[in-house]
Amino acid sequence: GVLAVHVLAGGVLAGRKDPSLGHRVEALKVLVKPGRTLVQAAVQFVLANESVSAAMIRVSSLAHLDEVVTAPQATPLSGQDLEQIFELWANRFE
């Protein structure tokens, strides 16, 4: 199996400021929906890959822990959401 790490891009997807990655976070905010945060979308995306057995996610607060633990129950990523992620990645978030 595969253990996914850096699921939250070093905390950037959870709100840590990083000017070099800010444009990526802004582009990915289209994944935020009622009942799903960006953190939850990131966890769902990683775990949607059949090859990934588990994700190792570092959290800095109880609120972040709650957000990560509840990701499987959050509004699921749709096929369109997955297509948007792949499109952003393919176009280098431009």
Side-chain angles (χ1 to χ4, degrees):
V2 173
L3 176 64
V5 295
H6 298 291
V7 174
L8 302 179
V12 174
L13 296 178
R16 187 179 66 80
K17 302 294 181 211
D18 184 338
S20 67
L21 296 176
H23 69 287
R24 290 184 180 202
V25 173
E26 285 304 312
L28 289 169
K29 285 186 177 177
V30 299
L31 301 173
V32 176
K33 307 278 187 204
R36 182 179 65 219
T37 66
L38 187 54
V39 167
Q40 291 169 329
V43 173
Q44 288 178 354
F45 176 71
V46 167
L47 295 178
N49 185 323
E50 295 177 355
S51 299
V52 174
S53 301
M56 184 177 236
I57 303 168
R58 182 177 167 197
V59 297
S60 58
S61 70
L62 288 176
H64 286 153
L65 178 62
D66 184 52
E67 201 171 6
V68 168
V69 171
T70 58
Q73 292 81 37
T75 301
L77 291 173
S78 66
Q80 183 180 6
D81 292 330
L82 293 172
E83 285 179 26
Q84 285 180 304
I85 295 168
F86 292 128
E87 176 104 6
L88 286 167
W89 187 261
N91 294 316
R92 304 210 183 270
F93 291 87
E94 293 177 358

